[in-house]
Structures are given as C-alpha cells and as structure tokens.
Amino acid sequence: GAVVSQHPSWVICKSGTSVKIECRSLDFQATTMFWYRQFPKQSLMLMATSNEGSKATYEQGVEKDKFLINHASLTLSTLTVTSAHPEDSSFYICSARIRGAGELFFGEGSRLTVL
Amino acid sequence: DAKTTQPPSMDCAEGRAANLPCNHSTISGNEYVYWYRQIHSQGPQYIIHGLKNNETNEMASLIITEDRKSSTLILPHATLRDTAVYYCIVRVATAAGNKLTFGGGTRVLVKP
C-alpha cells in the first residue's frame, strides 16, 4: 500500500516551546491530509483537514492558533504545536488520501511529551 | 457519517477465524464500510472496504448484510500479530466527505 511517513516519531520538549511534526506521502501525491490526536486508551480524534495550497479546516474545539497546519506541497503537511503544555502530550497521527482513490493511509504517529 | 457500534473487546484463539461484528443501522446508500486496525503505538492500517457486495483481500473478508445495516470482518486464520484495535467506519468516499471519524473499536486479543 501507499506509504505515509511522519517525523519525528517521538519528541520530548519543555513547556512553552513549539514543536513541528512533518507528514509526508512518499510515493503518491496527496491533495488532502488529516491530522488526528490520540490520548492513552482512547480512540483517534480528528483535529483538522489539511488542504494543499489553502487554509486547514479545524474540527470544533480545536484551536487553530495553537495547532498550526501548513500544507505547502502535494507531499508534505506540517503540524506545529505552539507554546506546548503538558496537556498537549499525546500521540499525533496524520493520514493522506491518494488523489482519486477512496482509502486513507496513515503515518506511524508521533508521540509528543511536554515536560 | 453514520455511527457504528462494535463490541469493546473480544478474544480469539490463534489459528482460528476471528469474526468481528459491526452495526451501522443508519448507513445511507452512498456510504461505504471501511475497516482499519491499530496495533499498539502505531498508526492505523487499512484492511478492507466495501459498499454492498462481500469483499476479500489478502488480509481479510468483509461480509455486508443485504440491508447493509451490519457487517462482519473475518480474519480467516488469526495470528498473534493480529492483536490490535479494529475500527469499523462508514463514510462517503467522495472528495469532499473523505474524513474518517473513529469510534471506540474492538480490542482483539489473539491468544496462543
């Protein structure tokens, strides 16, 4: 299947700093990518939809100024957690859809720990 | 997207078939049934999807009832590596409505 790669796979940062997570589609072009967050023993929660060349669409309750999303090319979307706090510690997962196809492919996830 | 209902957990024996049920009684005519699984600390993995016909691939089979209100994912010969959380999702496979909304899923434990 198609490959979606995330980097870094894990990151530890101090409270108040910003962290950027990259999501790349390695062997296909993705006009749309999705960002999810998952807390321990919970299901995935959709945060936002990232569209290449336009502003992201955020789900209700997700702060767009806190979670900055940029989708500058057909193979790269980035999620920046600004002024991170311990409650932002979570598993962040991106997914991407092959243009014209139905199924979504997911990255390996990025585990963020804010001290 | 239509809501789905899955049992929270189930055990199955290694080497036996695992049958995972999913109810989606409010599914509409243009919504597909998708199955994904998530192994611990990894991103979800696509398994299979279908509209109304039964589907089979190298990983699993998907049986959808005639009224489309429920479906069953079948892992024909479960292995220990199939231990994961399995998510049943229904959604419209169009460019606009492509986001996946995850429910609680079924936590499957394959035992030796």
Side-chain angles (χ1 to χ4, degrees):
Chain A
V3 179
V4 176
S5 178
Q6 283 184 239
H7 178 81
S9 55
W10 60 271
V11 57
I12 301 173
C13 70
K14 293 182 179 180
S15 186
T17 60
S18 294
V19 175
K20 180 186 286 187
I21 301 170
E22 294 184 346
C23 177
R24 294 182 184 273
S25 55
L26 296 186
D27 51 0
F28 66 98
Q29 292 183 332
T31 52
T32 305
M33 291 183 174
F34 302 89
W35 286 95
Y36 292 83
R37 179 169 54 181
Q38 185 176 33
F39 293 108
K41 298 193 182 300
Q42 295 186 22
S43 187
L44 285 79
M45 184 185 74
L46 180 66
M47 298 175 66
T49 302
S50 170
N51 301 297
E52 188 266 337
S54 65
K55 291 184 178 180
T57 303
Y58 290 82
E59 296 298 305
Q60 192 172 9
V62 178
E63 301 175 58
K64 61 180 181 180
D65 295 330
K66 171 79 172 173
F67 300 98
L68 301 179
I69 291 172
N70 183 278
H71 194 156
S73 77
L74 286 173
T75 60
L76 174 64
S77 175
T78 60
L79 167 68
T80 301
V81 183
T82 62
S83 186
H85 288 94
E87 58 266 29
D88 298 323
S89 298
S90 188
F91 193 49
Y92 292 87
I93 306 167
C94 73
S95 69
R97 179 180 67 91
I98 297 174
R99 185 187 294 184
E103 62 266 32
L104 293 176
F105 297 93
F106 287 80
E108 315 95 318
S110 300
R111 187 165 301 282
L112 170 64
T113 301
V114 184
L115 302 176
Chain B
D1 290 341
K3 287 185 65 175
T4 62
T5 304
Q6 297 177 253
S9 65
M10 65 183 295
D11 294 347
C12 65
E14 184 181 21
R16 304 294 292 271
N19 297 304
L20 282 62
C22 179
N23 287 324
H24 31 80
S25 58
T26 59
I27 192 171
S28 47
N30 60 347
E31 288 184 311
Y32 286 71
V33 180
Y34 282 78
W35 282 85
Y36 285 78
R37 73 179 182 184
Q38 186 180 25
I39 296 170
H40 183 62
S41 293
Q42 296 182 22
Q45 176 188 23
Y46 166 80
I47 301 174
I48 199 167
H49 76 282
L51 183 62
K52 51 185 175 181
N53 297 323
N54 297 337
E55 302 288 344
T56 295
N57 63 20
E58 64 278 4
M59 288 184 69
S61 295
L62 174 61
I63 308 299
I64 303 174
T65 58
E66 194 167 338
D67 63 6
R68 301 209 324 122
K69 292 186 176 182
S70 65
S71 61
T72 301
L73 178 75
I74 301 173
L75 307 178
H77 304 287
T79 70
L80 299 180
R81 286 180 291 182
D82 291 323
T83 292
V85 179
Y86 287 76
Y87 295 99
C88 167
I89 301 165
V90 293
R91 68 178 178 96
V92 177
T94 65
N98 239 340
K99 60 182 181 181
L100 288 179
T101 302
F102 286 80
T106 296
R107 190 172 297 273
V108 173
L109 175 62
V110 180
K111 295 182 175 181

